[in-house]
Amino acid sequence: MNGFFDIPSAIQHSYGGLIALHMEEALVPVLAGLLLALPIGLLCVHFDWLYAPVLWTSTILYAIPSIAFFVVLIDYTGLSRLTVMIPLCLYSLVVLVPAVVDGVRSVPEETNAAASAMGIGLARRYFQVQLPIAVPAIMAGLRVAVASSISLVSVGALIGNQGAFGNLLTYAQLYGLPRLAGTAVITLAVLAVVIDALLVLLRRVLTPWQPPSGRARRFGATAADATPVQEGAS
């Protein structure tokens, strides 16, 4: 690990600064994408005909290379973090919109009918009834979007050193310093795992009614099956 945390001064960030910068450029676009996906998902659920064109549009945007996005945006946002984050926000929609729609559609009709009978309006029902039930599906999509965004931020190294840890990959190639590439790859892998674990924990906090994981259920079932045998033997 000797030299692992040593960052070239030309990058103008410390190791901790690169982590903060990378997380900002990766997580802010996903959060913005989620804020866009929530109302878009509501419209797609309420108007079924809208879902297909929205999904096609988000898929087409995802297929556009980030470099092409950069070329278009540079004239408006310059060589800035915003130029990196706007494409990442749009890319996240291809995962988040289907996650929101599938989650809301999974709400039982009896639940929606009960909410309507209680006089709960469409918007209030969406936020107070449907979204809490849809949290597992939304969080699953959010985990995919976050992991993808953490890796794609590195492409920002192509526009004025806006790629955070991606800048280390560029310097590793330019100056023949493989340890910088190792630092970037290992750190990004660890960050992705840590953020994913935090999202799993958040899901469990938001959905305390959810059953335990498959492993826990199997352990519980095994213990329950073993109990009568032990009692009979005694």
Side-chain angles (χ1 to χ4, degrees):
M1 299 294 288
N2 186 28
F4 183 88
F5 301 100
D6 295 337
I7 305 301
S9 58
I11 294 183
Q12 299 178 346
H13 284 285
S14 64
Y15 183 76
L18 283 178
I19 291 179
L21 177 61
H22 203 100
M23 289 296 94
E24 177 187 351
E25 293 186 356
L27 299 184
V28 171
V30 176
L31 178 59
L34 180 61
L35 294 178
L36 287 175
L38 291 177
I40 293 174
L42 173 60
L43 292 175
C44 291
V45 171
H46 193 63
F47 303 103
D48 288 337
W49 59 268
L50 189 61
Y51 185 42
V54 167
L55 191 58
W56 294 338
T57 302
S58 62
T59 303
I60 291 173
L61 289 174
Y62 188 79
I64 299 176
S66 54
I67 297 178
F69 264 125
F70 295 161
V71 171
V72 173
L73 292 173
I74 282 175
D75 289 339
Y76 304 96
T77 56
L79 300 176
S80 65
R81 301 177 192 175
L82 195 59
T83 304
V84 177
M85 292 191 287
I86 290 176
L88 296 181
C89 174
L90 297 177
Y91 289 157
S92 69
L93 295 178
V94 75
V95 176
L96 295 177
V97 170
V100 172
V101 172
D102 292 343
V104 173
R105 284 179 175 175
S106 69
V107 177
E109 286 300 324
E110 296 82 0
T111 303
N112 290 322
S116 298
M118 294 173 62
I120 300 178
L122 179 63
R124 184 181 167 197
R125 187 197 324 164
Y126 180 60
F127 287 102
Q128 294 185 358
V129 179
Q130 294 174 330
L131 281 185
I133 298 176
V135 163
I138 295 174
M139 291 301 293
L142 195 60
R143 291 171 64 189
V144 175
V146 167
S148 175
S149 185
I150 289 176
S151 67
L152 288 175
V153 165
S154 300
V155 183
L158 299 174
I159 55 165
N161 288 334
Q162 296 298 331
F165 277 102
N167 299 341
L168 293 186
L169 299 176
T170 301
Y171 273 74
Q173 182 178 13
L174 288 177
Y175 300 110
L177 297 174
R179 70 170 181 82
L180 295 181
T183 299
V185 172
I186 294 174
T187 302
L188 291 181
V190 171
L191 289 176
V193 171
V194 170
I195 298 299
D196 186 71
L198 291 176
L199 290 175
V200 171
L201 179 61
L202 178 61
R203 179 188 64 80
R204 292 179 179 176
V205 170
L206 295 176
T207 58
W209 62 86
Q210 284 285 308
S213 65
R215 182 178 179 183
R217 286 198 300 269
R218 289 195 299 271
F219 179 80
T222 302
D225 292 341
T227 300
V229 175
Q230 293 173 351
E231 290 177 352
S234 61

